Amino acid sequence: MTSQSQGIQQLLQAEKRAKDKLEEAKKRKGKRLKQAKEEAIAEIDHYRLQREKEFRNKQTNVMGSQGNISTKIEEQTTETIRNLTSSYHKNMESMMKKLLSTICDINPEVHPNFRHEV
């Protein structure tokens, strides 16, 4: 019976060692999966940053910088306002004379379609 109980003890110990090895393998697998996930995230972040940088470079090359565009718009607006103001001052007096002459200089005439019946 002792040999039988020794055999059972050895089997139990072997089973315990196998269980421990299995647990250790599961832990290693979990750690490796976590590490692989972190590496993948880091690689994705690196790739995303690289692509964003390329996009910004292409955007700058195609559209120009936003500062240049707003500066050009401001310059164009200022120039347009200056031209309109200059045109206003140059033509104001002649337009006022023309408007006043149209309103004040009245030549009474009989309309050609008027029929005078006696």
Side-chain angles (χ1 to χ4, degrees), residues 28-86:
R28 280 194 310 250
K29 181 180 176 184
K31 284 181 183 179
R32 181 62 190 131
L33 285 172
K34 187 175 181 181
Q35 182 184 6
K37 183 178 179 181
E38 290 172 356
E39 289 173 0
I41 289 172
E43 188 175 333
I44 289 169
D45 288 342
H46 176 70
Y47 180 75
R48 183 174 33 86
L49 290 173
Q50 180 184 0
R51 296 298 286 180
E52 285 177 357
K53 184 178 178 184
E54 289 175 13
F55 174 74
R56 282 192 299 272
N57 287 338
K58 286 181 181 181
Q59 186 180 24
T60 302
N61 289 339
V62 170
M63 293 176 40
S65 68
Q66 296 296 333
N68 290 344
I69 292 173
S70 67
T71 304
K72 287 179 183 178
I73 290 172
E74 285 291 327
E75 289 173 359
Q76 289 174 351
T77 304
T78 305
E79 183 65 27
T80 303
I81 290 171
R82 204 175 306 127
N83 289 339
L84 289 173
T85 305
S86 164

Side-chain angles (χ1 to χ4, degrees), residues 80-97:
T80 303
I81 290 171
R82 204 175 306 127
N83 289 339
L84 289 173
T85 305
S86 164
S87 175
Y88 167 77
H89 288 298
K90 185 167 64 172
N91 296 319
M92 181 183 67
E93 188 151 340
S94 65
M95 282 306 296
M96 288 300 288
K97 284 180 182 179

